[in-house]
Amino acid sequence: MSFDLFSNWNIIDRLIYAVESAWKSLLEGISSSSLKEPDAETMIAVETDYLRRENENLKKREIPLYLIEEERHIICPKCKAQLSDPDIKYCAGCGQRVIRHIAADRYKVKNE
């Protein structure tokens, strides 16, 4: 009878050891993966691609659009936001570059 008790205890002990080992290896895998630094070339390639796309988007916004002047209101042509200053360079609503349209009769050239 005492032999069966020890043999059952040995099975339980093996089970506990297996669970502890699996848990320890799982925790070590998680901690080592968070400490591992990413590949430098991959980081550079990803950042270069991101900056290229951002630069293309900024270039699209840098093409100036003429402000819409209606009576006393000045409106952004892209987002239709009402702007307070006619000499503004960028729309506060969408960030689009805007310029004021100068009619030919208001534009005077100085003759020398």
Side-chain angles (χ1 to χ4, degrees):
M1 182 121 161
S2 63
F3 181 72
D4 291 333
L5 179 66
F6 286 119
S7 65
N8 289 339
W9 179 81
N10 197 14
I11 293 171
I12 294 171
D13 188 43
R14 286 182 189 167
L15 180 67
I16 292 171
Y17 179 75
V19 170
E20 284 179 349
S21 298
W23 184 256
K24 186 182 281 186
S25 66
L26 179 68
L27 290 177
E28 287 176 0
I30 291 172
S31 65
S32 67
S33 67
S34 64
L35 297 176
K36 190 183 294 183
E37 293 182 12
D39 184 30
E41 292 178 5
T42 305
M43 288 176 41
I44 292 170
V46 169
E47 190 65 24
T48 302
D49 185 48
Y50 171 76
L51 290 174
R52 183 187 52 76
R53 282 186 276 119
E54 184 180 17
N55 195 20
E56 288 174 2
N57 288 338
L58 289 174
K59 284 181 182 178
K60 289 178 187 174
R61 288 192 345 197
E62 287 296 313
I63 299 171
L65 299 176
Y66 288 110
L67 290 170
I68 301 170
E69 297 183 30
E70 294 180 354
E71 298 174 10
R72 297 179 185 171
H73 304 290
I74 298 172
I75 301 170
C76 173
K78 186 173 182 182
C79 68
K80 308 299 184 213
Q82 188 173 353
L83 305 172
S84 59
D85 185 14
D87 296 324
I88 195 167
K89 296 192 186 279
Y90 292 92
C91 174
C94 63
Q96 174 67 41
R97 184 172 175 209
V98 292
I99 56 175
R100 188 175 188 182
H101 181 69
I102 301 174
D105 58 342
R106 288 194 281 174
Y107 182 72
K108 295 180 181 178
V109 179
K110 292 181 181 179
N111 292 333
E112 296 181 305

